[in-house]
Amino acid sequence: MPYHKNKQQAFQAAQQGVEDVEELYYEIVQDSASYGHQLKHLKNEVNEAYQQIENALEVASEKQRAQLEQFQSDLQSIVNEVNTNP
């Protein structure tokens, strides 16, 4: 994904990345045969979302910065949940 020059575009990309991670996280069925594949996909989405947040933080307004930091916290919660429930 190209670097976003526009604050709003960068913020929206980060927001969408977090939404994608949350959606994927809630869809994972731990019992399913494809759990490992789903977990790998989730890890990739989390990494991408973190990168989008970092890019957005470079140009964010103060209000956006607070929301982006909340997104980081939300992602960390998902990572912690997945790591504690193998």
Side-chain angles (χ1 to χ4, degrees), residues 19-38:
E19 289 171 3
D20 291 348
V21 167
E22 289 174 339
E23 183 177 322
L24 190 59
Y25 172 69
Y26 292 117
E27 287 177 3
I28 287 180
V29 177
Q30 292 188 7
D31 303 333
S32 78
S34 63
Y35 177 70
H37 175 75
Q38 290 174 324

Side-chain angles (χ1 to χ4, degrees), residues 25-81:
Y25 172 69
Y26 292 117
E27 287 177 3
I28 287 180
V29 177
Q30 292 188 7
D31 303 333
S32 78
S34 63
Y35 177 70
H37 175 75
Q38 290 174 324
L39 200 56
K40 184 177 179 181
H41 187 133
L42 178 64
K43 180 181 176 182
N44 291 339
E45 290 292 326
V46 166
N47 289 336
E48 186 175 323
Y50 270 124
Q51 187 59 53
Q52 290 168 329
I53 292 169
E54 288 300 317
N55 289 344
L57 281 169
E58 292 179 18
V59 295
S61 67
E62 282 305 310
K63 182 177 180 183
Q64 289 172 330
R65 183 171 301 281
Q67 185 63 49
L68 290 165
E69 289 169 355
Q70 181 61 51
F71 290 162
Q72 286 178 318
S73 176
D74 294 346
L75 287 178
Q76 189 59 53
S77 294
I78 289 172
V79 168
N80 291 343
E81 182 70 24

